[in-house]
């Protein structure tokens, strides 16, 4: 079913991506081809939020490792609960595309039966929203035991990253822009039904790790260490994205973004873009377009528009550099949010809060 759906949706999938040209499956180099094969198998289709990374193959693999091993892989937490976290984080980041996709998938899973209606799921969603703010994270205890916390933080960090990339490279919805408002609800329900069979099959943990070389787990990702496939995925993904940043983000821009993130509390910087103009004024003129795009991606990705991208591409015209710069900025912000989420210490009671009975039996 995955290969059939992927082939049927491919033209529309490629057309959704803006600013870069995704690599077509029949022209894919080895690493891209291997990632695409796993995406078709495990996700059910070549998802635009993944394939937009394809001009930068190691970053494509990094994105897939984080997404697969956090959201799709079998673990202690029910897929419905993970989809609820993905939806909550996406709503907090003003990413309507991801809200549509993951709300529709969650609704379809609930209709098929499951534990997502557990009242404690709403507490986990509350944590997912609060944990993205430095000042609020410590006041919201994650209502699951420690062995499940890493999986939920992994989903939250993945979508802190993906929401930023989707806001830059995709539109507001997976549906074509001309779809009438009155038809959207029914079409999104159909979309969820198409996604539900793949979402109902838990993927084997760790299958994606061979796509990237082993790497040490950075200290700010220590929350992942108790779940080996999650730790392996995020260590490898972080290393690949950091290497991309060294290659495509000028050092003064990396330093500026790091300094700004050091003082960031997770709140949006405001409606206008005066803040970013002031921030990049310390950069040499030739680095200001890169600094503007990187800061907007990290802190206000919904403000990235054609003009910001075009200004950057006048100096750096290739697709790979654009993907690598935005990926580095998005991951830098997402990792900060993950560290804050880790501050919301797991609540040790109720060991089975987010685990379905079938998953407990399987374990």
């Amino acid at each position: 079913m995955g290969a059939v759906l992927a082939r049927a949706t491919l033209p529309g999938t490629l057309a959704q991506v803006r600013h870069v040209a995704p690599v077509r499956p029949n022209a894919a180099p080895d690493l891209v081809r291997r990632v695409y094969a796993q995406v078709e198998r495990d996700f059910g289709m070549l998802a635009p939020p993944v394939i937009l990374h394809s001009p930068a193959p190691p970053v494509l693999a990094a994105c897939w490792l984080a997404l697969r091993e956090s959201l799709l892989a079998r673990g202690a937490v029910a897929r419905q609960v993970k989809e609820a976290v993905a939806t909550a984080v996406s709503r907090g980041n003003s990413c309507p595309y991801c809200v549509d996709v993951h709300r529709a998938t969650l609704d379809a899973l609930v209709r098929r039966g499951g534990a997502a209606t557990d009242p404690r799921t709403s507490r986990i969603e509350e944590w997912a929203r609060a944990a993205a703010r430095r000042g609020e994270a410590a006041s919201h205890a994650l209502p699951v035991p420690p062995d499940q916390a890493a999986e939920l933080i992994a989903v939250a960090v993945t979508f802190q990253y993906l929401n930023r990339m989707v806001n830059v490279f995709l539109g507001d919805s997976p549906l074509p822009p001309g779809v009438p408002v009155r038809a959207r609800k029914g079409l999104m329900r159909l979309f969820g039904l198409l996604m539900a069979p793949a979402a109902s099959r838990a993927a084997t943990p760790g299958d994606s790790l061979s796509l990237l070389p082993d790497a040490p787990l950075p200290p700010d990702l220590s929350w992942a260490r108790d779940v080996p496939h999650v730790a392996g995925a995020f260590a490898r993904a972080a290393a690949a994205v950091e290497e991309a940043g060294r290659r495509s983000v000028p050092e003064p821009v990396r330093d500026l973004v790091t300094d700004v993130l050091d003082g960031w509390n997770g709140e949006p910087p405001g409606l206008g873009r005066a803040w970013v103009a002031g921030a990049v004024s310390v950069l040499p003129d030739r680095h200001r377009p890169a600094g503007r795009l990187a800061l907007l991606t990290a802190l206000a990705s919904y403000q990235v528009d054609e003009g910001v991208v075009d200004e950057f591409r006048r100096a750096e015209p290739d697709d790979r550099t654009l993907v690598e710069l935005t990926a580095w900025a998005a991951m830098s912000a997402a990792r900060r949010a993950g560290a804050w989420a880790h501050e919301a210490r797991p609540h040790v009671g109720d060991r089975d809060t987010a685990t379905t009975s079938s998953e407990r039996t399987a374990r």
Side-chain angles (χ1 to χ4, degrees):
M1 175 63 181
V4 173
L5 182 58
R7 284 193 296 271
T9 58
L10 181 61
T13 296
L14 295 171
Q16 286 187 37
V17 180
R18 59 193 181 193
H19 306 314
V20 298
V23 175
R24 301 187 70 88
N26 59 5
D30 181 62
L31 180 56
V32 175
R33 178 185 55 76
R34 291 165 60 205
V35 173
Y36 280 7
Q38 288 197 11
V39 175
E40 287 186 9
R41 181 194 69 196
D42 295 336
F43 200 75
M45 62 179 292
L46 287 177
V50 178
I51 70 165
L52 69 83
H53 296 79
S54 59
V59 177
L60 168 71
C63 165
W64 174 239
L65 262 67
L67 178 63
R68 184 191 188 277
E69 302 303 331
S70 66
L71 184 70
L72 278 61
R74 182 176 63 251
V77 179
R79 174 68 180 268
Q80 294 97 321
V81 178
K82 293 180 180 181
E83 291 289 349
V85 170
T87 304
V89 171
S90 301
R91 189 170 286 117
N93 284 327
S94 301
C95 182
Y97 185 105
C98 292
V99 171
D100 274 1
V101 168
H102 295 281
R103 182 77 246 178
T105 305
L106 174 59
D107 289 347
L109 288 172
V110 171
R111 284 193 292 271
R112 290 170 70 98
T117 54
D118 189 309
R120 290 167 291 189
T121 300
S122 64
R123 292 169 57 203
I124 295 173
E125 292 176 303
E126 213 176 281
W127 162 82
R129 290 189 292 269
R133 307 285 186 265
R134 177 183 278 168
E136 296 181 36
S139 63
H140 286 72
L142 181 58
V144 297
D147 64 337
Q148 297 178 18
E151 292 185 17
L152 292 174
I153 295 173
V155 175
V157 172
T158 296
F159 282 88
Q160 289 290 348
Y161 170 78
L162 273 177
N163 294 160
R164 289 166 165 81
M165 297 299 285
V166 166
N167 277 339
V168 173
F169 291 99
L170 297 175
D172 288 343
S173 173
L175 299 178
V179 172
V181 173
R182 63 182 179 276
R184 289 176 58 85
K185 185 175 180 180
L187 287 174
M188 286 309 304
R189 178 168 181 163
L190 176 60
F191 177 88
L193 291 173
L194 290 171
M195 296 298 296
S200 300
R201 298 190 303 271
T204 302
D207 271 6
S208 69
L209 299 187
S210 62
L211 294 167
L212 289 173
D214 194 11
L217 188 69
D220 67 306
L221 300 179
S222 63
W223 49 262
R225 65 177 176 265
D226 292 330
V227 182
H229 67 275
V230 171
F234 278 81
R236 288 165 168 82
V241 174
E242 282 299 312
E243 177 59 30
R246 287 189 291 270
R247 181 167 48 244
S248 293
V249 187
E251 185 175 359
V253 174
R254 295 201 308 273
D255 291 343
L256 174 63
V257 172
T258 300
D259 288 346
V260 171
L261 288 175
D262 283 344
W264 181 51
N265 66 0
E267 294 289 343
L271 294 178
R273 292 195 297 212
W275 65 272
V276 78
V280 301
S281 65
V282 302
L283 294 172
D285 288 350
R286 69 183 184 279
H287 292 324
R288 289 181 186 178
R292 186 173 292 108
L293 177 57
L295 281 173
L296 285 171
T297 299
L299 273 66
S301 56
Y302 47 85
Q303 292 187 353
V304 175
D305 59 20
E306 200 80 35
V308 172
V309 174
D310 286 349
E311 183 186 27
F312 172 74
R313 298 203 71 158
R314 281 195 285 271
E316 299 289 349
D318 65 298
D319 285 359
R320 179 169 185 158
T321 302
L322 176 58
V323 170
E324 290 189 336
L325 180 138
T326 50
W328 178 84
M331 185 63 78
S332 296
R335 288 170 66 169
R336 300 300 176 105
W340 301 336
H342 188 45
E343 293 173 10
R345 298 296 181 187
H347 197 60
V348 182
D350 266 344
R351 183 173 183 81
D352 294 323
T353 294
T355 310
T356 64
S357 59
S358 61
E359 287 171 326
R360 292 197 297 273
T361 300
R363 288 194 294 162

